[in-house]
Amino acid sequence: MPDRVLVLHGPNLNLLGTREPGIYGRTTLPEVDRMIRGHARGLRIDVECRQSNWEGQLVDWLQAAARERFSGVVINPGAFTHSSLALRDVIAAIDIPVVEVHLSNIHGREEFRRHSVIAAVARGQIAGFGPQSYLLGLDALVALVRGRRPRAAGRPARR
Ligand code: DQA
């Protein structure tokens, strides 16, 4: 069975395409999701993309992720990155790897964006590559998930 990966988009990412295009570009969220699904096919994983403006909804999805048989999560927490202890705590609580991604380079922006409360509990962070950040996040997550599992005996390593 192929690995299942959950991609979560946080608040205001549904506005991509028209939201501050000088910072976030003109690619819409459905277009980003299409790129993610295409990349997932190449990686031979199943991917599901969800967006919410609600912190509690994101917490619920993260709590349920392992139960729903996801092997890991790629999340762009949006502005919750900088403030949400509830998201931080749920990521610390669950037993599957989470990769944090951002379209913009949060470390080169306003002071308040330079600190992520998520970073310490995520397995890593990718920021600054536009929609490509999600694809790099998927690559990183898949490497983590596949590296965690012993290969079935007699099966050659995939190139
Ligand atoms: C963002 C960066 C956050 O600071 C901001 O609040 C967002 C988008 C990014 O993808 O660059 O909503 O997460």
Side-chain angles (χ1 to χ4, degrees), residues 98-117:
V98 176
V99 173
E100 175 187 353
V101 302
H102 299 281
L103 297 150
S104 65
N105 179 4
I106 56 173
H107 302 287
R109 298 184 60 196
E110 303 98 316
E111 193 62 42
F112 67 87
R113 287 187 210 278
R114 293 187 189 166
H115 181 65
S116 163
V117 299

Side-chain angles (χ1 to χ4, degrees), residues 2-152:
D3 279 301
R4 272 161 62 71
V5 168
L6 180 62
V7 175
L8 295 181
H9 307 284
N12 298 309
L13 292 165
N14 54 314
L15 301 179
L16 282 181
T18 54
R19 175 193 181 196
E20 300 185 87
I23 296 171
Y24 299 115
R26 295 234 173 247
T27 311
T28 64
L29 191 61
E31 287 166 349
V32 172
D33 285 346
R34 254 197 306 281
M35 290 169 68
I36 290 170
R37 283 194 294 270
H39 197 71
R41 271 194 298 280
L43 290 169
R44 293 189 222 158
I45 57 168
D46 286 339
V47 76
E48 189 166 319
C49 302
R50 301 177 189 167
Q51 188 274 334
S52 180
N53 293 325
W54 295 82
E55 185 181 26
Q57 176 65 84
L58 295 166
V59 170
D60 283 349
W61 282 337
L62 284 159
Q63 283 188 10
R67 221 182 313 128
E68 290 185 55
R69 304 252 170 263
F70 289 107
S71 314
V73 181
V74 171
I75 184 168
N76 182 346
F80 291 145
T81 304
H82 317 294
S83 63
S84 175
L85 298 183
L87 275 187
R88 184 207 185 278
D89 283 356
V90 68
I91 291 169
I94 63 178
D95 198 27
I96 54 174
V98 176
V99 173
E100 175 187 353
V101 302
H102 299 281
L103 297 150
S104 65
N105 179 4
I106 56 173
H107 302 287
R109 298 184 60 196
E110 303 98 316
E111 193 62 42
F112 67 87
R113 287 187 210 278
R114 293 187 189 166
H115 181 65
S116 163
V117 299
I118 307 297
V121 291
R123 293 296 297 270
Q125 183 196 71
I126 294 164
F129 301 99
Q132 195 76 22
S133 290
Y134 287 94
L135 312 187
L136 294 167
L138 276 183
D139 288 345
L141 186 68
V142 165
L144 276 173
V145 165
R146 289 189 177 147
R148 270 182 152 198
R149 214 178 14 235
R151 258 198 323 278

